[in-house]
Structure formats: structure tokens, C-alpha cells
Amino acid sequence: QQPVQSPQAVILREGEDAVINCSSSKALYSVHWYRQKHGEAPVFLMILLKGGEQKGHDKISASFNEKKQQSSLYLTASQLSYSGTYFCGTGRHSGYALNFGKGTSLLVTP
Amino acid sequence: ETGVTQSPTHLIKTRGQQVTLRCSSQSGHNTVSWYQQALGQGPQFIFQYYREEENGRGNFPPRFSGLQFPNYSSELNVNALELDDSALYLCASSYTGLVKGETQYFGPGTRLLVL
């Protein structure tokens, strides 16, 4: 039930773009994106609930294709503060728990 | 508005001992979920409490148990500690726990080391 994230790690220069993918083999109700910095709690970024829904927050946006059970997180014009590990958490129709992927480590360099 | 708080921040125990971790939910939230995060892994769902009752449980043995109090704070108890229990334990609160896809807000976690 654990969603699969790709890539596992990515290194960017400041100002470059990145895409992080999250896919599940099970039908999903929701996808939740979090960013976690070393030694800190995961910080909520956004939640997507409907098929084909897209959301954006500053230069971070995401899409959710309910039919394909896939979500993508888009980071544009990356900033140093974007560095961290990004997790997708997936919610199923059958309950309230979130299943998290193993995370994507993102490092933005000057 | 206060965020999710957890105590203690760090804990060292020996195999076979018991441990209690505590969590105070964010103001206005009545649901608490507990997650275990091993090093280099994503959080794994342990269980969720809504209005003092367990509202769902992940694939964890019965020696992991919990409580929720009338003020919506919560405890995670782990008996007969094993070395593999060493992890970051995260508490997350949400508004109702009854809405699918509801946002969960995480606390800073308790790092448990079992020797």
C-alpha cells in the first residue's frame, strides 16, 4: 500500500525546476504533500482531493490524476529553502490513515 | 493558535522496557494520529484516536497502545521494547478525524533509541 516516489534524490541549482512523482497501486481518495527538513517535523504543503485537480502555492504546485493513481509535485525556480525530503501521503476511500512513500531528497545548491 | 507539541524530545531505553510518549494536539483539533518514522523512511501509521476512541490502526502489534484524553491530548505506550522500535515517533492532529483526506499537522516528534 506504500506509494512509490521518484526520483529518490535530486540535486538542483538555485532557480532550476524539479518534478517529484508519487504513484500508488491502490485507488486513492487524496494525496498529501509534506516537506521535512533534517531533524524537524514534516510540514504540510498541500492536499489534492479530486481527479485531475491541480493546486499551487507560491512556486510549488501539484496535480493528482485519480484515474492513474498518480500525483506530481512541481517546484519551479527553486530556492535554497526548498531543500529537504518530500513525502507524499496517500489517503484511501476506506479509512483515514495516510500511507507515506519513502521520500524524495531534494538539495538546492547556490 | 498553538501547534502540535510532543514530549519528551529524546528518550533512551533498554530492550524490554516500557515507554510513554505524549502529544498535545493543535488548538481546535480533536483527532490525533501516531506515526513511526524509521531512519531514511517515510512515516508509518500506528493508530488514530478520535474523541478518546481508537479510530483506525496500522500494522503494529498490540504492545503499541494509546490513549486520548478529554482535552484531546494523547499518549503512545510501547511495551516490551525491541531494538527495531528505535525511531522518530510523530504525532499529527487534525480537525475532526471523520473527513477523508483531512489535513494532518505534525508535531516535532520524539526520538526513541532502544539499546
Side-chain angles (χ1 to χ4, degrees), chain A residues 29 34 36 41 47 87 93 97 101, chain B residues 37 42-43 45 100-102 104 107:
Chain A
Y29 181 85
Y34 290 82
Q36 186 177 31
I47 180 174
F87 292 100
H93 290 267
Chain B
Q37 186 177 24
F45 176 72
K100 290 188 178 67
E102 193 171 49
Q104 297 184 17

Side-chain angles (χ1 to χ4, degrees), chain A residues 2 29-30 32 34 36 39-44 47 49 87 92-103, chain B residues 33 35 37 40-45 48 55 88 90 97-109 111:
Chain A
Q2 184 178 41
Y29 181 85
S30 61
H32 309 233
Y34 290 82
Q36 186 177 31
E40 299 180 8
V43 172
F44 171 74
I47 180 174
L49 295 175
F87 292 100
R92 304 271 314 274
H93 290 267
S94 57
Y96 309 105
L98 294 181
N99 291 308
F100 285 90
K102 292 186 176 182
Chain B
S33 302
Y35 291 82
Q37 186 177 24
Q41 302 294 316
Q44 299 297 308
F45 176 72
Q48 183 183 81
N55 189 34
L88 178 68
L90 294 163
L98 295 180
V99 176
K100 290 188 178 67
E102 193 171 49
T103 300
Q104 297 184 17
Y105 296 92
F106 284 90
R111 188 161 296 281

Side-chain angles (χ1 to χ4, degrees), chain B residues 43-69:
Chain B
Q44 299 297 308
F45 176 72
I46 303 175
F47 42 57
Q48 183 183 81
Y49 277 83
Y50 167 71
R51 290 192 173 183
E52 304 176 55
E53 296 212 355
E54 192 177 285
N55 189 34
R57 188 179 183 92
N59 191 25
F60 280 81
R63 60 189 184 84
F64 285 78
S65 63
L67 280 174
Q68 188 179 30
F69 300 99

Side-chain angles (χ1 to χ4, degrees), chain B residues 18-38:
Chain B
Q18 177 266 342
V19 68
T20 297
L21 310 181
R22 294 178 176 83
C23 169
S24 291
S25 59
Q26 184 168 314
S27 177
H29 289 183
N30 60 21
T31 299
V32 171
S33 302
W34 285 92
Y35 291 82
Q36 180 195 65
Q37 186 177 24

Side-chain angles (χ1 to χ4, degrees), chain B residues 2-14:
Chain B
T2 55
V4 180
T5 60
Q6 293 186 242
S7 63
T9 54
H10 296 81
L11 206 52
I12 300 175
K13 292 285 187 179
T14 55

